[in-house]
Amino acid sequence: MKVIVLGAGLLGVTSAYFLRQHGHDVTVVDRQATPAAETSFANGGQISVSHAEPWANPSAPLKVLKWLAREDAPLLFRLRADLRQWLWVLGFLRECTPGRTRHNIEQIVRLGTYSREALQALRRDRGIEYDQRTQGILHFYTSEKEFEAAEAPAAQMRELGCDRRVISADEAVRIEPALRHVRPRLAGATYTATDESGDANRFARELVRHCEADGVQFLMSHTVTALREAGGKIDHVEATDSEGQFQRLRADSYVVAMGSLSPLYSKPLGIRLPIYPAKGYSVTLPVKDESMAHQVSLTDDEYKLVFSRLGDRLRIAGTAELNGYDRDLNRVRCEAIVRRVEELFPGAGDTGRARFWTGLRPATPSNVPIIGRSRVPNLFLNTGHGTLGWTHSCGSGRSIARIVSGLKPEVDFAFAGV
Ligand SMILES: Cc1cc2nc3c(=O)[nH]c(=O)nc-3n(C[C@H](O)[C@H](O)[C@H](O)COP(=O)(O)OP(=O)(O)OC[C@H]3O[C@@H](n4cnc5c(N)ncnc54)[C@H](O)[C@@H]3O)c2cc1C
């Protein structure tokens, strides 16, 4: 079967890889000149099954209200005259009940566990190198209140088979000695030894090489302008190439993996995807003082920042801003991240050579991605991965490839239309 995958981010590339493994003739189309050049470019690097608590949870509405007026807030809603944004916020509030939160955590952990195994298997099969580290993820707390609040989600993770242990501040420093500087302020931590980290962009580019060697075709610098339906199915995709030439691309099946732009292209087909861009920031610093630099991937729950070690670079990422498709770098938010890094690991990174980046997370109100069938029989979805698209990429790609091939997915997850 001929399959066109729309989008060459983490989700498009993993979809293409697994579709090819099922024997399909696969073409990937992307508007950028290189793969993984948008949201999959400089993310936090965590393969984090343990980070399953969605933004929408019972304590979120109060926190978000408190943060509304703070320019450096970890989660900032900049409300605008945008109906899609308001509908998303209403959907978010609906997901904040204890019942919905529990349901969403279950989905996220199941897909995460499956996905981490799929990544490990792919690594074994192909020997891909991407500055990966398998030293677990340590969530640390500098506030007693936040640490206490972490016990319940950690217990829930354990119930769901994710071994997120509550540990003392001393144990945290034993696992990551770079935390010694803030030891007096550490309230405690949780540690998930089975979690991982690595450079998502490098992984995607390496996987593209393997896909190409396997015969997948990549049409880069091609902008999709519309998906056209005829006779109850997608007949073709319209695109323009790098020279502005109009193209009609045809296949038997199509997979939408266009990140936060997916809803704009599905809407004319009557498919409303509850996806809204949530802008995040990352800072990449060359290591300056090895003795102060972290090795283990870390999560600073209080400031909603994640820290990964990518070779000789430190990557720190986080914060979320709902402000449409704007990707401007806000200096206040960049400086807030660097300030926190310097507070925790003074001198570890070369702040003078900091590289700042923003990306738009394709966020759903529940944090649960949309993977599966759509109302159009030959149109499939693999999008809306929000905060955990790197963690969920291999499991989502492997699952959508099975669904397109008419096979049952291997994980118990609320797939769309399956
Ligand atoms: C600051 C930040 C930190 C993060 N940290 C982590 C983390 O630590 N762990 C984790 O698991 N996840 C993390 N994420 C989330 C993760 O990066 C995303 O979920 C993931 O990259 C989404 O991948 P995607 O393929 O859906 O989207 P994208 O990477 O955006 O890919 C979509 C592709 O579609 C293409 N496209 C769009 N429109 C068109 C068009 N009209 N024509 C042709 N092509 C088009 C784009 O060019 C793009 O290449 C983070 C995200 C951010 C922003």
Side-chain angles (χ1 to χ4, degrees), residues 227 229 232-234 254-256 266 269-273 370-382 400 403 415-418:
L227 283 81
E229 199 178 348
K233 60 184 186 108
I234 301 298
Y254 303 80
V255 176
V256 173
S266 68
L269 302 165
I271 301 167
R272 287 184 188 277
L273 298 175
I370 303 163
I371 311 162
R373 298 181 168 279
S374 74
R375 68 151 200 87
V376 183
N378 64 342
L379 183 68
F380 298 85
L381 308 164
N382 193 8
I400 200 66
I403 295 169
F415 289 103
V418 174

PDB file of all heavy atoms in Angstrom, residues 227 229 232-234 254-256 266 269-273 370-382 400 403 415-418:
ATOM      1  N   LEU A 227      -5.932  18.987   2.014  1.00  0.00           N
ATOM      2  CA  LEU A 227      -6.220  17.565   1.803  1.00  0.00           C
ATOM      3  C   LEU A 227      -7.573  17.529   1.096  1.00  0.00           C
ATOM      4  O   LEU A 227      -8.537  18.127   1.591  1.00  0.00           O
ATOM      5  CB  LEU A 227      -6.326  16.822   3.142  1.00  0.00           C
ATOM      6  CG  LEU A 227      -5.013  16.496   3.861  1.00  0.00           C
ATOM      7  CD1 LEU A 227      -4.480  17.693   4.621  1.00  0.00           C
ATOM      8  CD2 LEU A 227      -5.256  15.352   4.829  1.00  0.00           C
ATOM      9  N   GLU A 229     -10.916  15.667  -0.500  1.00  0.00           N
ATOM     10  CA  GLU A 229     -11.732  14.466  -0.357  1.00  0.00           C
ATOM     11  C   GLU A 229     -12.554  14.269  -1.629  1.00  0.00           C
ATOM     12  O   GLU A 229     -13.033  15.239  -2.216  1.00  0.00           O
ATOM     13  CB  GLU A 229     -12.670  14.687   0.839  1.00  0.00           C
ATOM     14  CG  GLU A 229     -13.244  13.433   1.410  1.00  0.00           C
ATOM     15  CD  GLU A 229     -14.138  13.716   2.622  1.00  0.00           C
ATOM     16  OE1 GLU A 229     -14.140  14.848   3.144  1.00  0.00           O
ATOM     17  OE2 GLU A 229     -14.848  12.771   3.020  1.00  0.00           O
ATOM     18  N   GLY A 232     -15.878  10.041  -0.598  1.00  0.00           N
ATOM     19  CA  GLY A 232     -15.850   9.569   0.797  1.00  0.00           C
ATOM     20  C   GLY A 232     -14.463   9.212   1.303  1.00  0.00           C
ATOM     21  O   GLY A 232     -14.328   8.627   2.382  1.00  0.00           O
ATOM     22  N   LYS A 233     -13.413   9.550   0.541  1.00  0.00           N
ATOM     23  CA  LYS A 233     -12.060   9.311   1.075  1.00  0.00           C
ATOM     24  C   LYS A 233     -11.108  10.405   0.584  1.00  0.00           C
ATOM     25  O   LYS A 233     -11.489  11.200  -0.291  1.00  0.00           O
ATOM     26  CB  LYS A 233     -11.560   7.923   0.686  1.00  0.00           C
ATOM     27  CG  LYS A 233     -11.456   7.676  -0.792  1.00  0.00           C
ATOM     28  CD  LYS A 233     -11.041   6.222  -1.021  1.00  0.00           C
ATOM     29  CE  LYS A 233     -10.778   5.967  -2.456  1.00  0.00           C
ATOM     30  NZ  LYS A 233      -9.511   5.785  -2.968  1.00  0.00           N
ATOM     31  N   ILE A 234      -9.898  10.420   1.141  1.00  0.00           N
ATOM     32  CA  ILE A 234      -8.932  11.415   0.671  1.00  0.00           C
ATOM     33  C   ILE A 234      -8.458  10.972  -0.706  1.00  0.00           C
ATOM     34  O   ILE A 234      -7.981   9.847  -0.886  1.00  0.00           O
ATOM     35  CB  ILE A 234      -7.726  11.548   1.641  1.00  0.00           C
ATOM     36  CG1 ILE A 234      -8.187  11.946   3.047  1.00  0.00           C
ATOM     37  CG2 ILE A 234      -6.705  12.564   1.098  1.00  0.00           C
ATOM     38  CD1 ILE A 234      -8.876  13.286   3.156  1.00  0.00           C
ATOM     39  N   TYR A 254      -3.249   8.112   4.263  1.00  0.00           N
ATOM     40  CA  TYR A 254      -2.541   9.333   4.664  1.00  0.00           C
ATOM     41  C   TYR A 254      -2.485   9.378   6.189  1.00  0.00           C
ATOM     42  O   TYR A 254      -3.465   9.035   6.859  1.00  0.00           O
ATOM     43  CB  TYR A 254      -3.291  10.579   4.160  1.00  0.00           C
ATOM     44  CG  TYR A 254      -3.483  10.580   2.655  1.00  0.00           C
ATOM     45  CD1 TYR A 254      -4.520   9.829   2.064  1.00  0.00           C
ATOM     46  CD2 TYR A 254      -2.633  11.301   1.819  1.00  0.00           C
ATOM     47  CE1 TYR A 254      -4.696   9.806   0.690  1.00  0.00           C
ATOM     48  CE2 TYR A 254      -2.813  11.291   0.433  1.00  0.00           C
ATOM     49  CZ  TYR A 254      -3.833  10.544  -0.124  1.00  0.00           C
ATOM     50  OH  TYR A 254      -4.008  10.526  -1.490  1.00  0.00           O
ATOM     51  N   VAL A 255      -1.331   9.808   6.727  1.00  0.00           N
ATOM     52  CA  VAL A 255      -1.214   9.960   8.187  1.00  0.00           C
ATOM     53  C   VAL A 255      -0.918  11.434   8.476  1.00  0.00           C
ATOM     54  O   VAL A 255       0.056  11.986   7.957  1.00  0.00           O
ATOM     55  CB  VAL A 255      -0.072   9.083   8.759  1.00  0.00           C
ATOM     56  CG1 VAL A 255       0.105   9.324  10.263  1.00  0.00           C
ATOM     57  CG2 VAL A 255      -0.339   7.598   8.485  1.00  0.00           C
ATOM     58  N   VAL A 256      -1.763  12.068   9.280  1.00  0.00           N
ATOM     59  CA  VAL A 256      -1.533  13.464   9.664  1.00  0.00           C
ATOM     60  C   VAL A 256      -0.643  13.493  10.907  1.00  0.00           C
ATOM     61  O   VAL A 256      -1.028  12.986  11.962  1.00  0.00           O
ATOM     62  CB  VAL A 256      -2.875  14.192   9.960  1.00  0.00           C
ATOM     63  CG1 VAL A 256      -2.617  15.588  10.536  1.00  0.00           C
ATOM     64  CG2 VAL A 256      -3.715  14.295   8.698  1.00  0.00           C
ATOM     65  N   SER A 266      -7.153  19.571   9.155  1.00  0.00           N
ATOM     66  CA  SER A 266      -8.227  18.573   9.294  1.00  0.00           C
ATOM     67  C   SER A 266      -9.603  19.241   9.324  1.00  0.00           C
ATOM     68  O   SER A 266     -10.604  18.628   8.955  1.00  0.00           O
ATOM     69  CB  SER A 266      -8.024  17.741  10.567  1.00  0.00           C
ATOM     70  OG  SER A 266      -8.229  18.536  11.711  1.00  0.00           O
ATOM     71  N   LEU A 269     -12.109  19.223   6.516  1.00  0.00           N
ATOM     72  CA  LEU A 269     -12.684  17.888   6.266  1.00  0.00           C
ATOM     73  C   LEU A 269     -13.737  17.541   7.322  1.00  0.00           C
ATOM     74  O   LEU A 269     -14.228  16.414   7.384  1.00  0.00           O
ATOM     75  CB  LEU A 269     -11.580  16.820   6.322  1.00  0.00           C
ATOM     76  CG  LEU A 269     -10.413  16.996   5.351  1.00  0.00           C
ATOM     77  CD1 LEU A 269      -9.251  16.114   5.751  1.00  0.00           C
ATOM     78  CD2 LEU A 269     -10.870  16.671   3.926  1.00  0.00           C
ATOM     79  N   GLY A 270     -14.029  18.521   8.201  1.00  0.00           N
ATOM     80  CA  GLY A 270     -15.013  18.290   9.265  1.00  0.00           C
ATOM     81  C   GLY A 270     -14.422  17.508  10.436  1.00  0.00           C
ATOM     82  O   GLY A 270     -15.154  16.962  11.257  1.00  0.00           O
ATOM     83  N   ILE A 271     -13.091  17.452  10.528  1.00  0.00           N
ATOM     84  CA  ILE A 271     -12.458  16.746  11.657  1.00  0.00           C
ATOM     85  C   ILE A 271     -11.890  17.810  12.600  1.00  0.00           C
ATOM     86  O   ILE A 271     -10.889  18.456  12.289  1.00  0.00           O
ATOM     87  CB  ILE A 271     -11.336  15.798  11.161  1.00  0.00           C
ATOM     88  CG1 ILE A 271     -11.924  14.777  10.179  1.00  0.00           C
ATOM     89  CG2 ILE A 271     -10.637  15.116  12.329  1.00  0.00           C
ATOM     90  CD1 ILE A 271     -10.875  14.001   9.401  1.00  0.00           C
ATOM     91  N   ARG A 272     -12.573  17.983  13.733  1.00  0.00           N
ATOM     92  CA  ARG A 272     -12.132  19.016  14.681  1.00  0.00           C
ATOM     93  C   ARG A 272     -11.196  18.395  15.700  1.00  0.00           C
ATOM     94  O   ARG A 272     -11.626  17.566  16.508  1.00  0.00           O
ATOM     95  CB  ARG A 272     -13.339  19.627  15.400  1.00  0.00           C
ATOM     96  CG  ARG A 272     -14.118  20.517  14.500  1.00  0.00           C
ATOM     97  CD  ARG A 272     -15.258  21.223  15.200  1.00  0.00           C
ATOM     98  NE  ARG A 272     -16.065  21.919  14.208  1.00  0.00           N
ATOM     99  CZ  ARG A 272     -15.770  23.123  13.721  1.00  0.00           C
ATOM    100  NH1 ARG A 272     -14.729  23.786  14.164  1.00  0.00           N
ATOM    101  NH2 ARG A 272     -16.542  23.671  12.803  1.00  0.00           N
ATOM    102  N   LEU A 273      -9.933  18.781  15.643  1.00  0.00           N
ATOM    103  CA  LEU A 273      -8.957  18.225  16.589  1.00  0.00           C
ATOM    104  C   LEU A 273      -8.749  19.247  17.713  1.00  0.00           C
ATOM    105  O   LEU A 273      -8.402  20.400  17.432  1.00  0.00           O
ATOM    106  CB  LEU A 273      -7.626  17.948  15.880  1.00  0.00           C
ATOM    107  CG  LEU A 273      -7.669  16.917  14.746  1.00  0.00           C
ATOM    108  CD1 LEU A 273      -6.302  16.830  14.052  1.00  0.00           C
ATOM    109  CD2 LEU A 273      -8.069  15.548  15.291  1.00  0.00           C
ATOM    110  N   ILE A 370      -3.772  12.139  20.099  1.00  0.00           N
ATOM    111  CA  ILE A 370      -4.841  11.600  19.249  1.00  0.00           C
ATOM    112  C   ILE A 370      -4.184  10.698  18.199  1.00  0.00           C
ATOM    113  O   ILE A 370      -3.521  11.176  17.276  1.00  0.00           O
ATOM    114  CB  ILE A 370      -5.621  12.757  18.579  1.00  0.00           C
ATOM    115  CG1 ILE A 370      -6.170  13.697  19.669  1.00  0.00           C
ATOM    116  CG2 ILE A 370      -6.750  12.223  17.697  1.00  0.00           C
ATOM    117  CD1 ILE A 370      -6.594  15.047  19.162  1.00  0.00           C
ATOM    118  N   ILE A 371      -4.363   9.402  18.382  1.00  0.00           N
ATOM    119  CA  ILE A 371      -3.713   8.419  17.502  1.00  0.00           C
ATOM    120  C   ILE A 371      -4.790   7.457  17.018  1.00  0.00           C
ATOM    121  O   ILE A 371      -5.520   6.899  17.834  1.00  0.00           O
ATOM    122  CB  ILE A 371      -2.647   7.592  18.279  1.00  0.00           C
ATOM    123  CG1 ILE A 371      -1.719   8.513  19.076  1.00  0.00           C
ATOM    124  CG2 ILE A 371      -1.839   6.692  17.337  1.00  0.00           C
ATOM    125  CD1 ILE A 371      -0.949   7.794  20.171  1.00  0.00           C
ATOM    126  N   GLY A 372      -4.899   7.283  15.709  1.00  0.00           N
ATOM    127  CA  GLY A 372      -5.859   6.280  15.224  1.00  0.00           C
ATOM    128  C   GLY A 372      -6.564   6.712  13.965  1.00  0.00           C
ATOM    129  O   GLY A 372      -6.031   7.473  13.146  1.00  0.00           O
ATOM    130  N   ARG A 373      -7.799   6.226  13.826  1.00  0.00           N
ATOM    131  CA  ARG A 373      -8.581   6.483  12.618  1.00  0.00           C
ATOM    132  C   ARG A 373      -9.313   7.813  12.725  1.00  0.00           C
ATOM    133  O   ARG A 373      -9.507   8.323  13.834  1.00  0.00           O
ATOM    134  CB  ARG A 373      -9.644   5.382  12.453  1.00  0.00           C
ATOM    135  CG  ARG A 373      -9.047   4.012  12.277  1.00  0.00           C
ATOM    136  CD  ARG A 373     -10.116   2.956  12.089  1.00  0.00           C
ATOM    137  NE  ARG A 373      -9.491   1.728  11.648  1.00  0.00           N
ATOM    138  CZ  ARG A 373      -9.135   1.486  10.387  1.00  0.00           C
ATOM    139  NH1 ARG A 373      -9.377   2.364   9.443  1.00  0.00           N
ATOM    140  NH2 ARG A 373      -8.548   0.363  10.066  1.00  0.00           N
ATOM    141  N   SER A 374      -9.741   8.333  11.574  1.00  0.00           N
ATOM    142  CA  SER A 374     -10.590   9.529  11.585  1.00  0.00           C
ATOM    143  C   SER A 374     -11.911   9.146  10.917  1.00  0.00           C
ATOM    144  O   SER A 374     -12.081   7.993  10.508  1.00  0.00           O
ATOM    145  CB  SER A 374      -9.906  10.643  10.792  1.00  0.00           C
ATOM    146  OG  SER A 374      -9.988  10.358   9.404  1.00  0.00           O
ATOM    147  N   ARG A 375     -12.805  10.120  10.731  1.00  0.00           N
ATOM    148  CA  ARG A 375     -14.084   9.777  10.085  1.00  0.00           C
ATOM    149  C   ARG A 375     -13.883   9.473   8.588  1.00  0.00           C
ATOM    150  O   ARG A 375     -14.735   8.865   7.962  1.00  0.00           O
ATOM    151  CB  ARG A 375     -15.146  10.869  10.288  1.00  0.00           C
ATOM    152  CG  ARG A 375     -14.869  12.158   9.594  1.00  0.00           C
ATOM    153  CD  ARG A 375     -16.114  12.942   9.192  1.00  0.00           C
ATOM    154  NE  ARG A 375     -15.736  13.873   8.143  1.00  0.00           N
ATOM    155  CZ  ARG A 375     -15.714  13.598   6.854  1.00  0.00           C
ATOM    156  NH1 ARG A 375     -16.137  12.444   6.418  1.00  0.00           N
ATOM    157  NH2 ARG A 375     -15.290  14.489   5.981  1.00  0.00           N
ATOM    158  N   VAL A 376     -12.755   9.902   8.029  1.00  0.00           N
ATOM    159  CA  VAL A 376     -12.449   9.582   6.620  1.00  0.00           C
ATOM    160  C   VAL A 376     -11.647   8.275   6.626  1.00  0.00           C
ATOM    161  O   VAL A 376     -10.585   8.209   7.251  1.00  0.00           O
ATOM    162  CB  VAL A 376     -11.638  10.727   5.956  1.00  0.00           C
ATOM    163  CG1 VAL A 376     -11.396  10.426   4.495  1.00  0.00           C
ATOM    164  CG2 VAL A 376     -12.340  12.062   6.137  1.00  0.00           C
ATOM    165  N   PRO A 377     -12.159   7.227   5.948  1.00  0.00           N
ATOM    166  CA  PRO A 377     -11.568   5.891   6.128  1.00  0.00           C
ATOM    167  C   PRO A 377     -10.075   5.771   5.827  1.00  0.00           C
ATOM    168  O   PRO A 377      -9.401   4.977   6.458  1.00  0.00           O
ATOM    169  CB  PRO A 377     -12.378   5.012   5.160  1.00  0.00           C
ATOM    170  CG  PRO A 377     -13.579   5.784   4.780  1.00  0.00           C
ATOM    171  CD  PRO A 377     -13.318   7.229   5.048  1.00  0.00           C
ATOM    172  N   ASN A 378      -9.552   6.541   4.863  1.00  0.00           N
ATOM    173  CA  ASN A 378      -8.117   6.377   4.558  1.00  0.00           C
ATOM    174  C   ASN A 378      -7.257   7.499   5.153  1.00  0.00           C
ATOM    175  O   ASN A 378      -6.119   7.697   4.731  1.00  0.00           O
ATOM    176  CB  ASN A 378      -7.872   6.246   3.045  1.00  0.00           C
ATOM    177  CG  ASN A 378      -8.257   7.502   2.294  1.00  0.00           C
ATOM    178  OD1 ASN A 378      -9.003   8.335   2.804  1.00  0.00           O
ATOM    179  ND2 ASN A 378      -7.746   7.651   1.073  1.00  0.00           N
ATOM    180  N   LEU A 379      -7.813   8.218   6.143  1.00  0.00           N
ATOM    181  CA  LEU A 379      -7.050   9.278   6.805  1.00  0.00           C
ATOM    182  C   LEU A 379      -6.823   8.905   8.273  1.00  0.00           C
ATOM    183  O   LEU A 379      -7.781   8.663   9.020  1.00  0.00           O
ATOM    184  CB  LEU A 379      -7.800  10.608   6.719  1.00  0.00           C
ATOM    185  CG  LEU A 379      -7.058  11.796   7.326  1.00  0.00           C
ATOM    186  CD1 LEU A 379      -5.818  12.152   6.502  1.00  0.00           C
ATOM    187  CD2 LEU A 379      -7.972  13.018   7.415  1.00  0.00           C
ATOM    188  N   PHE A 380      -5.547   8.872   8.674  1.00  0.00           N
ATOM    189  CA  PHE A 380      -5.182   8.455  10.029  1.00  0.00           C
ATOM    190  C   PHE A 380      -4.495   9.617  10.756  1.00  0.00           C
ATOM    191  O   PHE A 380      -3.933  10.505  10.113  1.00  0.00           O
ATOM    192  CB  PHE A 380      -4.243   7.239   9.960  1.00  0.00           C
ATOM    193  CG  PHE A 380      -4.909   6.050   9.308  1.00  0.00           C
ATOM    194  CD1 PHE A 380      -4.919   5.920   7.915  1.00  0.00           C
ATOM    195  CD2 PHE A 380      -5.548   5.082  10.068  1.00  0.00           C
ATOM    196  CE1 PHE A 380      -5.546   4.846   7.301  1.00  0.00           C
ATOM    197  CE2 PHE A 380      -6.180   4.003   9.465  1.00  0.00           C
ATOM    198  CZ  PHE A 380      -6.184   3.882   8.078  1.00  0.00           C
ATOM    199  N   LEU A 381      -4.551   9.561  12.089  1.00  0.00           N
ATOM    200  CA  LEU A 381      -4.036  10.678  12.891  1.00  0.00           C
ATOM    201  C   LEU A 381      -2.939  10.206  13.842  1.00  0.00           C
ATOM    202  O   LEU A 381      -3.080   9.138  14.467  1.00  0.00           O
ATOM    203  CB  LEU A 381      -5.179  11.286  13.725  1.00  0.00           C
ATOM    204  CG  LEU A 381      -6.442  11.664  12.946  1.00  0.00           C
ATOM    205  CD1 LEU A 381      -7.618  11.880  13.892  1.00  0.00           C
ATOM    206  CD2 LEU A 381      -6.184  12.929  12.114  1.00  0.00           C
ATOM    207  N   ASN A 382      -1.879  10.969  13.934  1.00  0.00           N
ATOM    208  CA  ASN A 382      -0.839  10.696  14.934  1.00  0.00           C
ATOM    209  C   ASN A 382      -0.307  12.059  15.368  1.00  0.00           C
ATOM    210  O   ASN A 382       0.739  12.530  14.936  1.00  0.00           O
ATOM    211  CB  ASN A 382       0.283   9.836  14.321  1.00  0.00           C
ATOM    212  CG  ASN A 382       1.202   9.282  15.402  1.00  0.00           C
ATOM    213  OD1 ASN A 382       0.916   9.420  16.605  1.00  0.00           O
ATOM    214  ND2 ASN A 382       2.291   8.669  14.996  1.00  0.00           N
ATOM    215  N   ILE A 400       0.417   3.421  15.097  1.00  0.00           N
ATOM    216  CA  ILE A 400      -0.310   3.908  13.912  1.00  0.00           C
ATOM    217  C   ILE A 400       0.029   3.021  12.717  1.00  0.00           C
ATOM    218  O   ILE A 400      -0.834   2.761  11.865  1.00  0.00           O
ATOM    219  CB  ILE A 400      -0.042   5.420  13.631  1.00  0.00           C
ATOM    220  CG1 ILE A 400      -1.161   5.989  12.748  1.00  0.00           C
ATOM    221  CG2 ILE A 400       1.289   5.700  12.961  1.00  0.00           C
ATOM    222  CD1 ILE A 400      -2.505   6.043  13.357  1.00  0.00           C
ATOM    223  N   ILE A 403      -2.254   0.123  12.956  1.00  0.00           N
ATOM    224  CA  ILE A 403      -3.646   0.494  12.656  1.00  0.00           C
ATOM    225  C   ILE A 403      -3.824   0.672  11.142  1.00  0.00           C
ATOM    226  O   ILE A 403      -4.768   0.147  10.551  1.00  0.00           O
ATOM    227  CB  ILE A 403      -4.054   1.767  13.447  1.00  0.00           C
ATOM    228  CG1 ILE A 403      -4.049   1.451  14.955  1.00  0.00           C
ATOM    229  CG2 ILE A 403      -5.416   2.292  13.011  1.00  0.00           C
ATOM    230  CD1 ILE A 403      -4.172   2.660  15.859  1.00  0.00           C
ATOM    231  N   PHE A 415      -7.260   4.547  21.526  1.00  0.00           N
ATOM    232  CA  PHE A 415      -6.976   4.970  20.153  1.00  0.00           C
ATOM    233  C   PHE A 415      -8.252   5.519  19.528  1.00  0.00           C
ATOM    234  O   PHE A 415      -9.353   5.009  19.784  1.00  0.00           O
ATOM    235  CB  PHE A 415      -6.458   3.785  19.332  1.00  0.00           C
ATOM    236  CG  PHE A 415      -5.069   3.367  19.727  1.00  0.00           C
ATOM    237  CD1 PHE A 415      -4.872   2.240  20.517  1.00  0.00           C
ATOM    238  CD2 PHE A 415      -3.968   4.104  19.318  1.00  0.00           C
ATOM    239  CE1 PHE A 415      -3.595   1.863  20.903  1.00  0.00           C
ATOM    240  CE2 PHE A 415      -2.687   3.733  19.691  1.00  0.00           C
ATOM    241  CZ  PHE A 415      -2.493   2.603  20.491  1.00  0.00           C
ATOM    242  N   ALA A 416      -8.093   6.530  18.670  1.00  0.00           N
ATOM    243  CA  ALA A 416      -9.255   7.125  18.008  1.00  0.00           C
ATOM    244  C   ALA A 416      -9.841   6.136  17.002  1.00  0.00           C
ATOM    245  O   ALA A 416      -9.100   5.570  16.194  1.00  0.00           O
ATOM    246  CB  ALA A 416      -8.826   8.409  17.294  1.00  0.00           C
ATOM    247  N   GLY A 417     -11.125   5.924  17.097  1.00  0.00           N
ATOM    248  CA  GLY A 417     -11.854   5.133  16.097  1.00  0.00           C
ATOM    249  C   GLY A 417     -11.460   3.665  16.006  1.00  0.00           C
ATOM    250  O   GLY A 417     -11.782   3.007  15.016  1.00  0.00           O
ATOM    251  N   VAL A 418     -10.752   3.140  17.021  1.00  0.00           N
ATOM    252  CA  VAL A 418     -10.322   1.731  16.932  1.00  0.00           C
ATOM    253  C   VAL A 418     -11.120   0.890  17.919  1.00  0.00           C
ATOM    254  O   VAL A 418     -11.315   1.313  19.040  1.00  0.00           O
ATOM    255  CB  VAL A 418      -8.809   1.608  17.235  1.00  0.00           C
ATOM    256  CG1 VAL A 418      -8.370   0.149  17.305  1.00  0.00           C
ATOM    257  CG2 VAL A 418      -8.022   2.321  16.158  1.00  0.00           C
TER     258      VAL A 418
END
